[in-house]
Amino acid sequence: MKIYDLRSDTITKPTPQMRKAIAEAEVGDDIYREDPSVNYLESLAAEMLSKEASLFVPSGSMGNLIPLFVNGGRGSLVLASSLSHIIHHEVSALTSIAGILPILIDTPRGILNAESIVPHLSEGSYDMVRKAIIEVENTIGGVCYPLNNLKEIKALAEKNNMVVHMDGARLFNAAVATNVEASEIVKNSDTVTFCISKGLGAPVGSLLCGTKEFIEKARVVRKMLGSAMRQAGILAAGGIYALQNNINRLALDHDNAKEIALALSKTDWAKINLQDVETNILFFEVEGVALDKVIRLFKERGIMVLSDHSKIRVVTNLHIDSDDTLEICKIIGSIEKKDFLK
Ligand SMILES: *Cc1c(COP(=O)(O)O)cnc(C)c1O
């Protein structure tokens, strides 16, 4: 039986062409800034986002932690969605390492706007925590930020002497889905992190982007966290290949996710909101059935999924083509309500 792995887009393995690029990568000591592949990846990322500079970091989590550390730190706060990755999936590094206080904002689908932020910006006396950062996650649960929200959030941040950080782990999914250049999307964020290790298909790493001055500070903190790397060009080469070849194909992942969502909506057991399926991630529920039971039944039928935020999460990725998607939809169509009760 063929197994369709829809747990995440992080499970993607480098393709033969990417492995070739990795094998042929020129490398050097990146701590001496002598790794040509890392240098090229960093300049490519900065150029693509129209930021002054960028830094190659081993993970998206570190790409989020460093800006919270540099621009926030002890005695300061970050405003973020209550659904955000920095709150749920980064082992509380923001409090335990960066020492920053998160204030969580509840909004539909995790998308913040000015109205949801304003109540948290009251002027205060010296004994109040310093308001430092507004964090936006794009995409969040596969949902793209409207440009207008980003604009008004940046305006509020500026007015209050704060900076905006975008956790753009899946920034390029947002760019492809909304047909807006990534550089345009990040215009209103001071710092941005995006992952090459997810839908873009590279094995390891993320790029943190911002001003030159910020990136120099970020480089120091990366070293402090023990994550400066030596011949990291081996990894960077995968990222260069990904940025040069794998962005446009994200549209296929989005089409496949929509097909799977449609198949789920046609069953009499899945509860799904089709409008929320904008990119490569979708969520659904089976009312009255525990999540682990759904995961188990899907696995028995050859589909691997996970749960997140009390729902079943499905993520399409570059190992799932349109034939696979047809097959997945067929399997979903063959599942009956009573199968969950066994
Ligand atoms: C995956 C992800 C991260 C962190 O990436 P890691 O490389 O797993 O540390 C951060 N934010 C979001 C939204 C993510 O999906």
Side-chain angles (χ1 to χ4, degrees):
M1 183 170 70
K2 183 157 180 188
I3 303 291
Y4 301 101
D5 194 343
L6 300 174
R7 290 172 301 165
S8 181
D9 46 10
T10 57
I11 56 95
T12 50
K13 297 175 189 172
T15 57
Q17 301 94 307
M18 183 183 281
R19 280 180 185 273
K20 186 163 179 284
I22 290 170
E24 291 169 359
E26 276 186 62
V27 297
D29 191 328
D30 184 49
I31 291 187
Y32 299 157
R33 303 202 192 183
E34 287 172 5
D35 188 302
S37 299
V38 172
N39 291 343
Y40 183 66
L41 174 63
E42 290 178 344
S43 65
L44 181 63
E47 188 193 313
M48 289 174 78
L49 298 198
S50 297
K51 296 291 181 197
E52 284 176 18
S54 97
L55 185 70
F56 186 42
V57 290
S59 69
S61 299
M62 185 170 290
N64 288 331
L65 175 59
I66 292 174
L68 295 174
F69 191 110
V70 170
N71 288 326
R74 290 173 184 238
S76 70
L77 71 73
V78 55
L79 299 171
S81 161
S82 58
L83 297 176
S84 53
H85 195 279
I86 55 166
I87 300 303
H88 295 281
H89 296 293
E90 298 180 17
V91 207
S92 191
L94 79 172
T95 55
S96 57
I97 301 175
I100 191 167
L101 174 72
I103 303 287
L104 307 188
I105 303 179
D106 260 321
T107 51
R109 314 197 299 175
I111 300 284
L112 305 181
N113 54 18
E115 195 188 346
S116 63
I117 293 171
V118 166
H120 302 280
L121 298 178
S122 60
E123 297 239 354
S125 53
Y126 82 96
D127 59 355
M128 283 176 76
V129 57
R130 181 174 73 88
K131 298 170 187 72
I133 302 175
I134 302 173
E135 202 247 16
V136 291
E137 185 175 314
N138 193 17
T139 64
I140 182 159
V143 174
C144 307
Y145 252 88
L147 282 184
N148 251 341
N149 293 45
L150 296 172
K151 212 185 247 176
E152 60 183 48
I153 288 169
K154 173 63 176 164
L156 262 188
E158 263 176 17
K159 211 167 111 194
N160 289 275
N161 229 351
M162 300 172 80
V163 297
V164 177
H165 172 65
M166 181 181 286
D167 174 357
R170 296 187 179 85
L171 169 67
F172 287 98
N173 291 85
V176 168
T178 58
N179 203 17
V180 177
E181 292 291 332
S183 58
E184 187 64 26
I185 297 176
V186 305
K187 213 172 180 174
N188 290 301
S189 299
D190 300 273
T191 58
V192 192
T193 298
F194 72 85
C195 296
I196 52 174
S197 57
K198 297 198 166 167
L200 293 177
V204 178
S206 289
L207 278 303
L208 170 61
C209 311
T211 63
K212 266 197 186 119
E213 189 191 348
F214 166 76
I215 291 297
E216 283 317 302
K217 290 180 191 164
R219 192 179 291 279
V220 175
V221 175
R222 182 185 67 173
K223 178 67 183 161
M224 188 179 83
L225 295 170
S227 287
M229 299 178 281
R230 299 291 179 179
Q231 283 73 37
I234 292 285
L235 302 175
I240 295 166
Y241 183 90
L243 289 176
Q244 290 173 340
N245 296 280
N246 288 352
I247 291 178
N248 291 337
R249 66 150 307 287
L250 292 172
L252 298 174
D253 295 348
H254 302 168
D255 290 346
N256 293 339
K258 287 195 181 88
E259 288 299 319
I260 293 169
L262 200 60
L264 284 163
S265 74
K266 286 178 184 160
T267 68
D268 61 355
W269 45 264
K271 210 177 117 195
I272 179 165
N273 205 342
L274 286 179
Q275 298 102 273
D276 289 351
V277 186
E278 297 183 5
T279 57
N280 68 328
I281 303 181
L282 62 97
F283 292 89
F284 74 92
E285 287 171 275
V286 183
E287 242 165 341
V289 181
L291 295 172
D292 58 345
K293 230 174 171 176
V294 180
I295 292 170
R296 205 175 334 124
L297 179 73
F298 267 62
K299 192 165 180 196
E300 283 166 16
R301 304 291 175 104
I303 304 175
M304 294 169 78
V305 293
L306 284 179
S307 62
D308 195 26
H309 295 295
S310 309
K311 288 185 178 173
I312 299 292
R313 191 184 79 159
V314 176
V315 188
T316 53
N317 59 67
L318 66 74
H319 295 323
I320 302 292
D321 63 21
S322 46
D323 288 343
D324 296 329
T325 301
L326 273 179
E327 205 48 47
I328 290 162
C329 292
K330 242 190 243 166
I331 295 169
I332 288 170
S334 75
I335 296 175
E336 294 181 50
K337 207 170 193 172
K338 64 175 169 36
D339 297 334
F340 292 102
L341 306 173
K342 281 175 196 159

